[in-house]
Amino acid sequence: MSEWIYFFDLCGTAVFALSGALAAGRHRMDPFGVIVLASVTAVGGGSIRDALLGTTPVFWIRDPNYIIVILITVLLTMLLVRKPKKVPQHTLPIADALGLALFTVIGAEKALSLELGGMIAVVMGLITGVGGGIIRDLLCRQIPMILRTEIYATASILGGICYSLSIHLGAVDKQALVLAIIVALAIRLAAIKWHLSLPAFDLKTNKQ
């Protein structure tokens, strides 16, 4: 793993840990609950990805720096954010969007580094990007964002396609990485700002 990719992976871990910690604070969890929710949000998607790819032990077991980043993020969040419910409404979605973009590209890169095809890279990017958020939302008894109509998984898929296609066309790793992150992040932030969503599947049944 290159230094750039490792750096973005740690950044994504911190951002998703922040997302999980803020969600835990809004649900008035104790410090242990905050750590648990921040941890599963930060490493959940990547753990599922590594298990599916057979690259075990999973990344955070091989490199404890990820756990250190999570604990530092949780500590700073609990010290500096005294009233999570008063944090601006868009803070959590924006943090989640940034984590989604970062982890999407990391997941796609991991698949390509194992010489897997572009389609698998896009799928692994999606799993890495949304997996932790799904676990977080389920633990908070909320419908995961990937199952709602808002544009979420779509941003991850397009980011993964952008990265895979850029690499296929011969782009430098760093350039492909930054471009794909910008694409996924821009799409997700646009969806948040303008409330963009996909059409809902509404199955109507005949009333007896």
Side-chain angles (χ1 to χ4, degrees):
M1 180 184 292
S2 70
E3 292 183 0
W4 267 92
I5 293 174
Y6 184 60
F7 171 75
F8 279 117
D9 203 6
L10 290 177
C11 287
T13 300
V15 171
F16 261 155
L18 172 64
S19 170
L22 290 176
R26 289 183 175 180
H27 286 80
R28 301 178 63 84
M29 296 184 183
D30 63 21
F32 180 74
V34 177
I35 293 174
V36 169
L37 201 62
S39 298
V40 298
T41 306
V43 303
S47 297
I48 297 172
R49 175 204 65 213
D50 284 0
L52 290 174
L53 294 176
T55 54
T56 54
V58 296
F59 67 102
W60 57 270
I61 294 178
R62 286 183 275 110
D63 186 354
N65 285 334
Y66 291 95
I67 301 299
I68 294 173
V69 168
I70 292 170
L71 293 176
I72 292 174
T73 302
V74 169
L75 179 61
L76 291 176
T77 302
M78 289 192 295
L79 289 176
L80 300 177
V81 185
R82 305 304 301 171
K83 296 181 179 180
K85 289 189 176 182
K86 292 189 176 181
V87 172
Q89 185 178 359
H90 287 310
T91 300
L92 181 55
I94 289 174
D96 189 82
L98 181 56
L100 175 72
L102 290 168
F103 273 4
T104 291
V105 179
I106 296 300
E109 187 279 334
K110 184 71 173 282
L112 291 179
S113 71
L114 296 175
E115 299 184 351
L116 299 174
M119 183 178 295
I120 300 302
V122 173
V123 172
M124 289 300 125
L126 176 63
I127 290 173
T128 309
V130 307
I134 290 175
I135 299 172
R136 176 199 64 213
D137 292 344
L138 290 175
L139 290 176
C140 292
R141 293 186 292 182
Q142 296 178 337
I143 299 175
M145 278 192 281
I146 192 175
L147 299 180
R148 305 176 201 169
T149 57
E150 58 185 278
I151 295 177
Y152 188 73
T154 305
S156 176
I157 291 171
L158 292 177
I161 291 174
C162 179
Y163 180 77
S164 301
L165 188 59
S166 297
I167 293 296
H168 178 72
L169 294 176
V172 178
D173 279 350
K174 185 168 65 175
Q175 294 174 342
L177 189 79
V178 173
L179 176 62
I181 289 173
I182 291 173
V183 167
L185 182 60
I187 293 172
R188 179 61 188 140
L189 290 179
I192 293 172
K193 180 175 178 58
W194 289 297
H195 305 287
L196 304 178
S197 63
L198 298 175
F201 175 60
D202 185 8
L203 183 61
K204 298 185 183 297
T205 56
N206 294 326
K207 294 182 179 180
Q208 300 297 328

